[in-house]
Amino acid sequence: MNIQNDAFAALRYRDFSIVTINQFCLTLAILIQEIIVAYSLYQITKDPLTLGLIGLAEAIPFIALSLWGGYFADRFNKQIIMKICLFFSVPLPLVLWLLFHLHGLGHISVSFLSWGIYAVIFGLGTIRGFYNPSATSLKPFLIPRELYANGATWTTIGWQSGVIIGPMLGGFMLAYLGRETSLFSVAALLAICFILINLLHKRNFPKIETDNILESLGEGFRFIWKTKIVLWAISLDLASVLFGGVIALLPIFAEDILKVGPEGLGYLRAAPSIGALITMIALTRFPPTQHAWRNMLLAVAGFGIFTILFAFSNNMWLSLFALAMTGACDSISVVVRQTILQIFPPENMRGRVAAVNGMFVSSSNELGAFESGLAAKYLGTITATIFGGCMTLVVVTFCWIKTNDLFKVDITRSSED
């Protein structure tokens, strides 16, 4: 069978399969924890801004350290960096459990609880700043170049599967098992991730050529700036997630607008990934890399439109549909962007390019959460969501006008060069 026509081609490589399973377990752990922390803290404080501050607490160290994480990923062994990061992540859910436990006993105030949670999330952001560039830049070394698009699809399927199951599990576990069992389960999942990374075969990686740290860090920025399709792909995703993301506000929709409780929050949080996963399965056979830039712009526009539809919905089923469609649109954008980021950077620069991408795109989820929480506090939750969807459409229109030459770029041909 021609591997390019084999939907499971990338998964036939042992280490790639291990990394994909690891990503599923890691996403599962993070999302269970996110549901527990966000819903519990909002129930205690009733302040939308606390949800935004959770995102900000993770974004600040992640942005500050991502470039250094990219440098370390290109300078040292990526797999060892991942092991160290996972080792230090295991105790964090246990610290969160202790904070909630002490608050429940009346030993600490709401203010101390909130700042303690922000401190733990700050620690998670610090770990992500080093983990993400290594994990992202490792994947192209696990499969042949002609399977990058297939690999990007399966990587996203692993992630989206975790995002589907994690929130639903988190919601049900919080409702029926309580915070203690849920947070202990998160720690166990992180321990499994640590074990999985230790199962990878040892390998060596191309190293950066310069010992000048500042020059090395700057190379990632310079490469992105001069490679127009990479620059615009990162910028488009950054702007759309920064303004259009509604995930941080879902505890408010679940508690105060749709009134569906923690179980409903689990469904709402999982809905985008259900839409994404269904789309990803189709993309394993029909990759969106033909007319890639056009497809990415249309997908981001759809993301904005369905975000607006969600804002106007008062019906749980319509809300779930709108969120599922945002996930479907986002998955197309993700596959195109990940394929671009794997094809264009040189091998010894992938860590730094991944770090710059992480700074502006991955952190945009947390910065978007802060923007959403701030806007919801002063504009109202529904108005803030509508504003975000409209701003996404404005960004797409601007990009469509300014990037006519990118419609002619054939990334399928670039992947074969």
Coordinates of all heavy atoms in Angstrom, one line a residue, residues 74 145 215-232 234 340-354 356-357:
D74 N 16.4 22.9 20.8 CA 17.3 22.8 19.7 C 18.8 22.5 20.2 O 19.6 22.1 19.4 CB 17.3 24.0 18.8 CG 16.1 24.1 17.9 OD1 15.5 23.0 17.7 OD2 15.7 25.2 17.5
R145 N 9.1 12.5 6.0 CA 8.6 13.9 5.6 C 7.3 13.8 4.9 O 6.4 14.7 5.1 CB 9.7 14.5 4.7 CG 9.4 16.0 4.4 CD 10.5 16.5 3.5 NE 10.3 17.9 3.2 CZ 10.6 19.0 3.9 NH1 11.2 18.8 5.1 NH2 10.4 20.2 3.5
E215 N 21.7 35.4 19.6 CA 21.6 35.2 18.2 C 20.8 34.0 17.8 O 20.0 34.0 16.9 CB 23.0 35.1 17.6 CG 23.1 34.9 16.1 CD 24.5 34.7 15.6 OE1 25.4 35.0 16.3 OE2 24.6 34.2 14.4
S216 N 20.9 32.9 18.6 CA 20.1 31.7 18.4 C 18.6 32.0 18.5 O 17.8 31.5 17.7 CB 20.6 30.6 19.3 OG 19.8 29.5 19.2
L217 N 18.3 32.7 19.6 CA 16.9 33.0 19.8 C 16.3 33.8 18.7 O 15.2 33.7 18.3 CB 16.7 33.7 21.2 CG 17.1 32.9 22.4 CD1 16.9 33.8 23.7 CD2 16.2 31.7 22.5
G218 N 17.1 34.8 18.2 CA 16.6 35.7 17.2 C 16.4 35.0 15.8 O 15.6 35.5 15.0
E219 N 17.1 33.9 15.6 CA 17.0 33.2 14.3 C 15.6 32.7 14.1 O 15.1 32.7 13.0 CB 18.0 32.0 14.3 CG 19.4 32.4 14.0 CD 20.4 31.2 14.0 OE1 19.9 30.1 14.3 OE2 21.5 31.4 13.8
G220 N 14.9 32.2 15.2 CA 13.5 31.8 15.0 C 12.6 32.9 14.5 O 11.8 32.7 13.6
F221 N 12.8 34.1 15.1 CA 12.0 35.2 14.7 C 12.3 35.6 13.3 O 11.4 35.9 12.5 CB 12.2 36.4 15.7 CG 11.5 36.4 16.9 CD1 12.1 36.1 18.1 CD2 10.1 36.7 16.9 CE1 11.4 36.1 19.3 CE2 9.4 36.6 18.1 CZ 10.0 36.3 19.3
R222 N 13.6 35.7 13.0 CA 13.9 36.1 11.6 C 13.4 35.1 10.5 O 13.0 35.6 9.5 CB 15.5 36.2 11.5 CG 16.0 37.4 12.2 CD 17.5 37.7 11.9 NE 18.4 36.6 12.3 CZ 18.9 36.6 13.5 NH1 18.7 37.6 14.4 NH2 19.7 35.6 13.9
F223 N 13.5 33.8 10.8 CA 12.9 32.9 9.9 C 11.5 33.1 9.6 O 11.0 33.1 8.5 CB 13.2 31.4 10.4 CG 12.5 30.4 9.5 CD1 13.1 30.0 8.3 CD2 11.3 29.9 9.8 CE1 12.5 29.1 7.5 CE2 10.7 28.9 9.0 CZ 11.3 28.5 7.8
I224 N 10.7 33.2 10.7 CA 9.2 33.4 10.6 C 8.9 34.7 9.9 O 8.1 34.8 9.0 CB 8.6 33.4 12.0 CG1 8.6 32.0 12.6 CG2 7.1 33.9 11.9 CD1 8.2 31.9 14.0
W225 N 9.7 35.8 10.2 CA 9.4 37.1 9.5 C 9.6 37.0 8.0 O 8.9 37.7 7.3 CB 10.3 38.2 10.2 CG 10.0 39.5 9.7 CD1 10.7 40.3 8.8 CD2 8.9 40.4 10.1 NE1 10.2 41.5 8.6 CE2 9.0 41.6 9.3 CE3 7.8 40.2 10.9 CZ2 8.1 42.6 9.5 CZ3 6.9 41.2 11.1 CH2 7.1 42.4 10.3
K226 N 10.6 36.3 7.6 CA 10.9 36.3 6.1 C 10.2 35.2 5.4 O 10.2 35.2 4.2 CB 12.4 36.1 5.9 CG 13.0 34.7 6.2 CD 14.5 34.6 6.0 CE 15.0 33.2 6.3 NZ 16.5 33.1 6.1
T227 N 9.5 34.3 6.1 CA 8.7 33.2 5.5 C 7.3 33.6 5.6 O 6.6 33.3 6.6 CB 9.0 31.8 6.2 OG1 10.4 31.6 6.2 CG2 8.4 30.7 5.3
K228 N 6.7 34.2 4.6 CA 5.4 34.9 4.7 C 4.3 34.0 5.1 O 3.4 34.3 5.9 CB 5.1 35.6 3.4 CG 3.9 36.5 3.5 CD 3.7 37.3 2.2 CE 2.5 38.2 2.3 NZ 2.3 39.0 1.0
I229 N 4.2 32.8 4.5 CA 3.1 31.9 4.8 C 3.1 31.4 6.3 O 2.1 31.3 6.9 CB 3.1 30.7 3.9 CG1 1.7 29.9 4.1 CG2 4.2 29.7 4.2 CD1 1.5 28.9 3.0
V230 N 4.3 31.3 6.9 CA 4.4 30.9 8.3 C 4.0 32.1 9.2 O 3.2 32.0 10.1 CB 5.9 30.5 8.6 CG1 6.0 30.2 10.1 CG2 6.3 29.3 7.8
L231 N 4.5 33.3 8.8 CA 4.1 34.5 9.5 C 2.6 34.7 9.6 O 2.0 35.0 10.6 CB 4.8 35.7 8.9 CG 4.5 37.1 9.5 CD1 4.9 37.2 11.0 CD2 5.1 38.2 8.7
W232 N 2.0 34.7 8.4 CA 0.5 34.9 8.3 C -0.3 33.8 9.0 O -1.3 34.1 9.6 CB 0.1 35.1 6.9 CG 0.4 36.5 6.4 CD1 1.5 36.9 5.7 CD2 -0.4 37.7 6.6 NE1 1.4 38.3 5.4 CE2 0.3 38.8 6.0 CE3 -1.6 37.9 7.3 CZ2 -0.2 40.1 6.0 CZ3 -2.1 39.3 7.4 CH2 -1.4 40.3 6.7
I234 N 0.6 32.0 11.6 CA 0.7 32.2 13.0 C -0.2 33.4 13.4 O -0.9 33.4 14.4 CB 2.1 32.4 13.5 CG1 2.9 31.1 13.3 CG2 2.2 32.9 14.9 CD1 4.4 31.2 13.6
I340 N 2.3 23.4 7.7 CA 3.2 24.5 7.3 C 4.4 24.6 8.3 O 5.5 24.7 7.8 CB 2.4 25.8 7.3 CG1 1.4 25.9 6.2 CG2 3.4 27.0 7.2 CD1 0.5 27.0 6.2
L341 N 4.2 24.5 9.6 CA 5.3 24.6 10.5 C 6.2 23.4 10.5 O 7.3 23.5 11.0 CB 4.7 24.8 11.9 CG 4.0 26.1 12.2 CD1 3.3 26.2 13.5 CD2 5.0 27.3 12.1
Q342 N 5.8 22.3 10.0 CA 6.7 21.1 9.9 C 7.5 21.1 8.6 O 8.6 20.6 8.6 CB 5.9 19.8 10.0 CG 5.3 19.6 11.4 CD 4.5 18.3 11.5 OE1 4.7 17.4 10.7 NE2 3.7 18.2 12.6
I343 N 6.9 21.7 7.5 CA 7.5 21.6 6.2 C 8.6 22.7 6.1 O 9.7 22.4 5.6 CB 6.4 21.8 5.1 CG1 5.6 20.5 5.0 CG2 7.1 22.1 3.8 CD1 4.4 20.6 4.1
F344 N 8.3 23.9 6.4 CA 9.1 25.0 6.0 C 10.4 25.2 6.9 O 11.5 25.6 6.4 CB 8.3 26.3 6.0 CG 7.4 26.4 4.8 CD1 6.1 25.9 4.9 CD2 7.8 26.9 3.6 CE1 5.2 25.9 3.8 CE2 7.0 26.9 2.5 CZ 5.7 26.4 2.6
P345 N 10.4 25.1 8.3 CA 11.6 25.3 9.0 C 12.6 24.3 8.8 O 12.3 23.1 8.7 CB 11.1 25.3 10.5 CG 9.6 25.4 10.4 CD 9.2 24.8 9.1
P346 N 13.9 24.7 8.8 CA 15.0 23.7 8.8 C 15.0 22.8 10.0 O 14.5 23.2 11.1 CB 16.3 24.5 8.8 CG 15.8 25.9 8.3 CD 14.4 26.0 8.8
E347 N 15.6 21.6 9.9 CA 15.5 20.6 11.0 C 16.1 21.2 12.3 O 15.6 20.9 13.4 CB 16.3 19.3 10.6 CG 15.5 18.5 9.7 CD 16.2 17.1 9.5 OE1 17.3 16.9 10.0 OE2 15.6 16.2 8.9
N348 N 17.2 21.9 12.2 CA 17.9 22.4 13.5 C 17.3 23.7 14.0 O 17.8 24.3 14.9 CB 19.4 22.6 13.3 CG 19.7 23.7 12.3 OD1 18.8 24.2 11.6 ND2 20.9 24.1 12.3
M349 N 16.1 24.1 13.4 CA 15.5 25.3 13.9 C 14.0 25.1 14.3 O 13.3 26.0 14.7 CB 15.5 26.4 12.7 CG 15.3 27.8 13.2 SD 15.3 29.0 11.8 CE 17.0 28.9 11.4
R350 N 13.6 23.8 14.2 CA 12.2 23.6 14.5 C 11.8 23.9 15.9 O 10.7 24.3 16.2 CB 11.9 22.1 14.2 CG 11.7 21.8 12.7 CD 11.6 20.4 12.4 NE 11.3 20.1 11.0 CZ 11.7 19.0 10.4 NH1 12.3 18.0 11.1 NH2 11.5 18.8 9.1
G351 N 12.7 23.6 16.9 CA 12.4 23.9 18.3 C 12.1 25.4 18.5 O 11.2 25.8 19.2
R352 N 13.0 26.3 17.9 CA 12.8 27.7 18.1 C 11.6 28.3 17.3 O 10.9 29.1 17.8 CB 14.1 28.4 17.7 CG 15.2 28.3 18.7 CD 16.6 28.6 18.1 NE 17.0 27.6 17.1 CZ 18.0 27.7 16.3 NH1 18.7 28.9 16.2 NH2 18.3 26.7 15.4
V353 N 11.4 27.7 16.1 CA 10.1 28.1 15.4 C 8.9 27.7 16.2 O 7.9 28.4 16.3 CB 10.2 27.6 14.0 CG1 8.8 27.8 13.3 CG2 11.3 28.2 13.2
A354 N 8.9 26.5 16.7 CA 7.8 26.0 17.5 C 7.6 26.8 18.8 O 6.5 27.1 19.2 CB 8.0 24.5 17.9
V356 N 8.4 30.1 19.1 CA 7.8 31.4 18.7 C 6.3 31.2 18.4 O 5.5 32.0 18.8 CB 8.5 32.0 17.4 CG1 7.8 33.3 17.0 CG2 10.0 32.3 17.8
N357 N 6.0 30.1 17.7 CA 4.6 29.8 17.4 C 3.8 29.6 18.7 O 2.7 30.1 18.9 CB 4.5 28.5 16.6 CG 3.1 28.0 16.4 OD1 2.3 28.7 15.8 ND2 2.8 26.9 17.0

